[in-house]
Amino acid sequence: MSKVVVIGGGASGLVAAIQASHHHEVILLEGNDKCGKKILLTGNGKCNYWNQDIHIRNYYTDSLETLDNIISKDNQTEVFSFLESIGVYPKIKNNYYYPYSNQATSVRTLLLAEIERKHIKVIYDFKVEHIIKNNTNFIIQSNRDEIICDKVILATGSKACPKTGSDGSGYDLALSLGHTINLVTPSLTPLKGEEDYFKEWNGVRCDGKLSLFIDNEKVSEEIGEIQLTDYGISGICTFNISGLATKSLEQKKKVTVNIHFLPFLTIPFYDWFTMRNETIPNHTIEELLESLLPYKLMFVLLEKAGIHRKDEWKLLSESKKRKLSNLLEAFELEITGYLSFDRAQVATGGISLSEINPNTMESLITPNLYLVGELLDVDGKCGGFNLAFAFISGYLAGRSI
Ligand SMILES: Cc1cc2nc3c(=O)[nH]c(=O)nc-3n(C[C@H](O)[C@H](O)[C@H](O)COP(=O)(O)OP(=O)(O)OC[C@H]3O[C@@H](n4cnc5c(N)ncnc54)[C@H](O)[C@@H]3O)c2cc1C
């Protein structure tokens, strides 16, 4: 029996501690006065903890091959059964899994109940500042105490939403033990631009296709809800491309997005508008666009095209027709910034996944050190992928010990 210290009582650390406790003495160190603060905020308080389609295509990482092994179908089945075994029963909505109660607090309570049942010692307000590795063991130090142990599971999360306790201190701990930290920037976060018309479209929610261009090359595309705000864009589509955007901005690359506001159209908008105008001639542009676009958005597009809402399509110059069609199908917006870690749901980047054994989550650099959860260079899109990764990686580390 070894003495195992788990640092961080979030989603990954709680599961890791429970699994490791089957064969070892486990101590869980948490910097806060409570565990799982972030879990309570997830899924707007409902905790979207899993997804029907857990696959590498829904993640960003520096090692897709390692990630593919970690989130293998067998591991998914085992971890999902574990969650059910402690009482987390799912309610499934469009592939997103929530606890049946629709309450994030249920997930935290069930994990903590298991921690108690397994007699795992939890030390609160223990903020780890240093980890010293010698030949036989680890010395874990806070500013007031130290603990010696045989194995360490580092589950300190990222820098996102630091008010929950994940302030990025885990990166320094991993760095001190020889690990590489890939550039860490916010993800699942709104993106900013610097356009005057933002105040006009503020508050609009619409469906569309959002394409991300880095240095003029298309790198990603998302279809779904886009929110237009007084600083730029937000919503699920924006969140899902935001990690690539924030990283590229930090690397001083040019970041633009292209929005197709009517992606359901199967023919070019110009042709569609011409056909529609033939069916209902003499209608104003406003009447033709009525029911397709929210007014605030329509007026921004018309103003940019230099068209008055009472103008008739057939009387417009060819260049104005082309301009409006282009704005509707490929509205270009330069991204110049993003909302910070305070507003981001996760961080992209982190400890290189290529430094981890995917079967055990053990460090390939420092034996007996295990790294799990969002601290690693893995971040998922919206939909339960991040908690799923935290649970799976935590489970593997605890089980393999
Ligand atoms: C608002 C919001 C909504 C979200 N919604 C979803 C969602 O619906 N679905 C989803 O899949 N994901 C969601 N996420 C992301 C998800 O919550 C995280 O990816 C996940 O919780 C990460 O788990 P973790 O265990 O790696 O880290 P965390 O949950 O961040 O836990 C880390 C723990 O370590 C402790 N700690 C940190 N440093 C130290 C130290 N030096 N010493 C001791 N303790 C330390 C912290 O206090 C914290 O308790 C959301 C995130 C946010 C912020």
Side-chain angles (χ1 to χ4, degrees):
M1 190 189 242
S2 300
K3 186 166 168 183
V4 178
V5 163
V6 179
I7 306 175
S12 62
L14 289 168
V15 171
I18 293 165
Q19 289 307 313
S21 72
H22 292 313
H23 301 289
H24 302 285
E25 178 196 351
V26 176
I27 299 175
L28 176 59
L29 304 178
E30 169 53 52
N32 282 328
D33 59 354
K34 288 190 179 65
C35 285
K37 274 194 173 179
K38 195 175 277 180
I39 295 174
L40 298 186
L41 302 182
T42 57
N44 285 325
K46 291 195 267 180
C47 187
N48 171 207
Y49 70 94
W50 198 263
N51 194 289
Q52 187 79 47
D53 181 31
I54 296 174
H55 186 275
I56 48 171
R57 79 175 82 84
N58 294 309
Y59 289 94
Y60 300 100
T61 174
D62 70 334
S63 178
L64 280 174
E65 196 186 335
T66 311
L67 178 63
D68 205 21
N69 284 319
I70 295 171
I71 59 170
S72 71
K73 280 279 171 235
D74 284 351
N75 290 343
Q76 288 181 37
T77 306
E78 203 173 325
V79 177
F80 193 75
S81 304
F82 158 74
L83 291 171
E84 277 200 329
S85 77
I86 63 165
V88 183
Y89 298 114
K91 180 182 275 178
I92 307 165
K93 219 173 152 188
N94 302 329
N95 281 359
Y96 289 25
Y97 285 51
Y98 299 86
Y100 208 83
S101 63
N102 260 335
Q103 299 174 149
T105 179
S106 309
V107 174
R108 181 174 81 161
T109 301
L110 288 165
L111 288 167
L112 287 175
E114 197 61 16
I115 291 277
E116 217 177 302
R117 224 183 334 268
K118 294 277 188 292
H119 305 293
I120 295 166
K121 183 172 173 186
V122 184
I123 307 179
Y124 294 101
D125 297 315
F126 195 111
K127 181 89 186 169
V128 176
E129 293 185 347
H130 303 285
I131 305 175
I132 298 156
K133 168 98 171 92
N134 58 32
N135 286 341
T136 48
N137 48 31
F138 294 88
I139 305 164
I140 315 289
Q141 296 177 330
S142 74
N143 62 358
R144 59 182 162 88
D145 219 342
E146 71 175 35
I147 293 175
I148 297 174
C149 64
D150 306 304
K151 292 172 192 284
V152 173
I153 301 178
L154 197 56
T156 45
S158 68
K159 280 186 183 180
C161 201
K163 68 177 180 191
T164 60
S166 50
D167 59 0
S169 55
Y171 298 125
D172 293 333
L173 297 173
L175 202 61
S176 73
L177 293 165
H179 277 278
T180 311
I181 317 293
N182 295 330
L183 176 65
V184 181
T185 57
S187 188
L188 304 191
T189 198
L191 297 175
K192 296 206 273 189
E194 287 163 19
E195 306 294 340
D196 289 339
Y197 56 77
F198 288 165
K199 56 182 181 307
E200 315 294 336
W201 76 10
N202 185 26
V204 168
R205 284 166 182 253
C206 57
D207 285 332
K209 184 166 77 181
L210 191 63
S211 305
L212 177 68
F213 290 77
I214 307 292
D215 284 343
N216 302 318
E217 197 182 315
K218 184 167 165 179
V219 293
S220 187
E221 182 181 288
E222 291 285 326
I223 295 186
E225 192 189 73
I226 303 170
Q227 291 176 26
L228 309 176
T229 69
D230 60 357
Y231 53 78
I233 51 173
S234 185
I236 291 181
C237 282
T238 305
F239 282 6
N240 286 344
I241 57 150
S242 61
L244 288 173
T246 62
K247 199 176 278 187
S248 303
L249 285 170
E250 287 307 314
Q251 293 164 338
K252 307 285 175 235
K253 294 182 178 164
K254 183 176 176 215
V255 178
T256 46
V257 294
N258 238 286
I259 308 175
H260 192 321
F261 286 111
L262 301 168
F264 61 87
L265 283 184
T266 49
I267 56 170
F269 180 77
Y270 181 97
D271 300 343
W272 182 84
F273 222 166
T274 307
M275 269 167 37
R276 195 170 150 96
N277 191 58
E278 278 162 15
T279 330
I280 38 173
N282 305 326
H283 271 47
T284 63
I285 293 285
E286 184 177 6
E287 285 163 337
L288 285 172
L289 283 173
E290 185 79 56
S291 95
L292 289 182
L293 296 173
Y295 292 119
K296 280 182 174 182
L297 175 58
M298 188 201 301
F299 297 152
V300 168
L301 299 181
L302 291 180
E303 197 179 329
K304 277 179 84 67
I307 298 172
H308 192 273
R309 53 204 264 207
K310 299 294 178 203
D311 288 347
E312 288 180 35
W313 174 258
K314 66 170 190 277
L315 301 178
L316 290 180
S317 67
E318 189 59 20
S319 73
K320 284 190 177 175
K321 285 180 179 173
R322 294 281 169 202
K323 181 120 197 240
L324 180 60
S325 305
N326 197 46
L327 285 166
L328 280 157
E329 287 167 352
F331 187 95
E332 195 178 300
L333 172 60
E334 181 168 2
I335 301 299
T336 53
Y338 50 85
L339 296 199
S340 70
F341 283 112
D342 290 337
R343 280 286 303 273
Q345 292 192 3
V346 296
T348 192
I351 295 168
S352 175
L353 206 58
S354 60
E355 297 175 351
I356 304 294
N357 175 342
N359 301 317
T360 61
M361 302 310 292
E362 187 173 7
S363 162
L364 297 173
I365 313 277
T366 303
N368 295 321
L369 171 71
Y370 297 74
L371 301 114
V372 297
E374 212 184 295
L375 176 66
L376 294 164
D377 187 349
V378 178
D379 55 292
K381 295 183 178 181
C382 293
F385 302 107
N386 289 296
L387 278 172
F389 178 73
F391 290 141
I392 295 171
S393 58
Y395 185 97
L396 291 185
R399 184 192 67 181
S400 70
I401 285 180

